[in-house]
Amino acid sequence: MEGVKTVRSSEDGPPENGFDEIIGSSPALEFVLAEVERVAPTDSTVLVLGETGTGKELIARAIHNISARCGRPFVKLNCSAIPFDLLESELFGHEKGAFTGAVAQKIGRFEMADTGTLFLDEIGDLPLALQPKLLRVLQEQEFERLGSGRTHRINVRLVAATHRDLAEMVARKEFRSDLYYRLNVFPVVLPPLRERCEDIPQLASHFVEIFARRMGKRIDHIPQDILDAFVSYSWPGNVRELQNLIERAVIRSNNGVLSNPLSDKHPVTVTLVTPSQDTFTDSTRALILSALLATGWVIGGPGGAAARLGLKRTTLIAKMKKLGISRPVHKDDMDRLNEEAGQVAAAATSS
């Protein structure tokens, strides 16, 4: 396709590695993938933060695929999609007769994911009443089905995701602080699409290939003015919105040329985006804090924060000074900065 790099479609066969379905090469995305590579070999809990449509499930799958649990179960559950009165049963299962309508034994998602990975999407929507039970499973790796006194031991790695600000929910007492800190062992912050504009042409090409193949169409060209419009659009729905608009464009395309789904003929408003200085500062602070906390505040050297961020040691020190970041002296300071890192990261994803 003219003007864009053709990428391998996930429909061409099984992925060669955990990142094959994650499209892009922008610095923001490369930083995220580097973080994924660091945490995947461990069994640590990962909290994936990002706006709706940024690809949090793909990151969770990548963590699973490049971990030692690859080949074992990858089980997912969207906490916001299950009614409250059924969510406990979905998570932990139930015995026959445990409640009205329980006509047979049911295995919960934790048991399904034993020896593998459980992905809990929209963890911010987990009811307060269930949060102590989830905390117990994370701490003890054991639980009971509803209606049973038998304790089941499991070996499950948890990856959770949310677009909500959990730190703010904790402050409002809408989310348990102990569960938040247990989930926030290793946060991974996904950038919104508007902050990785370099990836948009590659993503567009990827989705065109997929939908053209499914619909039996041949699309050979994406006009440059359409790519320019894509890059300038704000994408409030992120990658998911781009995917849906590309599908619409392929349906309407003729003569091998992609039509413009952002044209005035269709009910879509193109909004030019200039990220605010506050947004840029928050994102930078979140990345630096994350790198410093991950390296134990080691700045220089091959394993230091500067190397992780692709910066010179002196450059990182200058940025830290400008942002008012200094190494904590007391444990209370470390706790405060850990909490701030989570708050800043969550705020950066929702700004």
Side-chain angles (χ1 to χ4, degrees):
M1 264 178 262
E2 229 178 284
V4 295
K5 178 181 177 183
T6 301
V7 298
R8 179 185 182 277
S9 167
S10 59
E11 295 187 353
D12 292 337
E16 297 173 0
N17 59 62
F19 296 151
D20 276 15
E21 293 187 354
I22 300 174
I23 307 301
S25 56
S26 63
L29 183 61
E30 290 294 330
F31 178 82
V32 168
L33 299 186
E35 290 288 88
V36 169
E37 286 184 318
R38 291 186 184 99
V39 75
T42 73
D43 273 336
S44 298
T45 300
V46 180
L47 180 61
V48 185
L49 302 167
E51 296 178 9
T52 299
T54 49
K56 294 186 285 294
E57 183 179 336
L58 286 179
I59 293 296
R61 286 187 179 276
I63 291 170
H64 175 75
N65 288 341
I66 63 176
S67 74
R69 296 174 183 264
C70 181
R72 297 179 181 179
F74 177 86
V75 178
K76 61 181 181 177
L77 177 69
N78 188 319
C79 297
S80 67
I82 308 295
F84 170 77
D85 54 348
L86 298 179
L87 187 54
E88 184 174 5
S89 173
E90 284 293 329
L91 286 169
F92 307 116
H94 65 251
E95 298 292 344
K96 180 179 179 180
F99 52 85
T100 303
V103 296
Q105 184 188 77
K106 176 182 175 65
I107 303 299
R109 302 299 173 99
F110 271 101
E111 281 184 86
M112 293 180 189
D114 193 19
T115 74
T117 303
L118 177 62
F119 174 52
L120 293 183
D121 199 6
E122 298 303 344
I123 193 71
D125 291 330
L126 187 72
L128 272 170
L130 287 184
Q131 292 179 21
K133 295 188 177 183
L134 177 58
L135 181 63
R136 181 197 170 199
V137 178
L138 294 179
Q139 292 176 335
E140 309 294 337
Q141 291 280 294
E142 63 181 30
F143 68 95
E144 292 83 33
R145 294 183 196 143
L146 288 174
S148 171
R150 178 189 170 193
T151 298
H152 295 265
R153 291 201 60 82
I154 51 168
N155 175 12
V156 172
R157 199 252 184 95
L158 182 71
V159 179
T162 183
H163 72 282
R164 304 182 68 178
D165 186 339
L166 293 186
E168 185 178 315
M169 292 179 67
V170 169
R172 296 197 305 262
K173 301 189 183 304
E174 296 173 357
F175 201 88
R176 290 178 62 104
S177 60
D178 48 4
L179 178 57
Y180 169 64
Y181 292 121
R182 188 64 185 80
L183 292 172
N184 200 38
V185 173
F186 195 93
V188 174
V189 183
L190 293 189
L193 187 55
R194 62 183 174 273
E195 292 182 7
R196 42 179 289 224
C197 296
E198 311 97 305
D199 295 334
I200 291 175
Q202 198 173 347
L203 283 162
S205 173
H206 174 69
F207 291 135
V208 166
E209 287 185 30
I210 289 176
F211 291 121
R213 182 182 297 112
R214 287 181 185 173
M215 299 175 194
K217 285 192 169 187
R218 181 175 177 179
I219 307 291
D220 300 310
H221 178 59
I222 303 178
Q224 188 60 48
D225 62 332
I226 294 181
L227 290 177
D228 292 343
F230 284 170
V231 170
S232 298
Y233 182 50
S234 62
W235 299 111
N238 292 294
V239 179
R240 185 180 298 126
E241 182 183 7
L242 173 62
Q243 179 179 351
N244 292 341
L245 285 182
I246 291 290
E247 182 175 7
R248 178 191 304 173
V250 171
I251 292 172
R252 289 175 167 155
S253 296
N254 295 304
N255 304 319
V257 178
L258 188 74
S259 67
N260 187 0
L262 294 175
S263 68
D264 293 335
K265 296 180 181 179
H266 310 306
V268 179
T269 302
V270 178
T271 305
L272 292 174
V273 174
T274 303
S276 67
Q277 185 61 38
D278 288 343
T279 298
F280 178 78
T281 300
D282 286 348
S283 298
T284 303
R285 186 178 180 86
L287 292 177
I288 291 176
L289 276 174
S290 177
L292 288 167
L293 293 170
T295 59
W297 290 83
V298 175
I299 296 175
R308 281 192 172 215
L309 295 168
L311 299 173
K312 293 181 179 179
R313 180 177 176 276
T314 53
T315 302
L316 177 55
I317 291 173
K319 286 181 177 293
M320 289 171 60
K321 185 176 181 180
K322 183 177 180 180
L323 294 169
I325 300 173
S326 59
R327 181 167 184 161
V329 178
H330 302 292
K331 182 181 182 299
D332 289 346
D333 295 329
M334 177 63 82
D335 293 341
R336 176 181 57 78
L337 278 171
N338 272 288
E339 182 176 355
E340 181 187 347
Q343 292 173 341
V344 169
T349 62
S350 61
S351 57

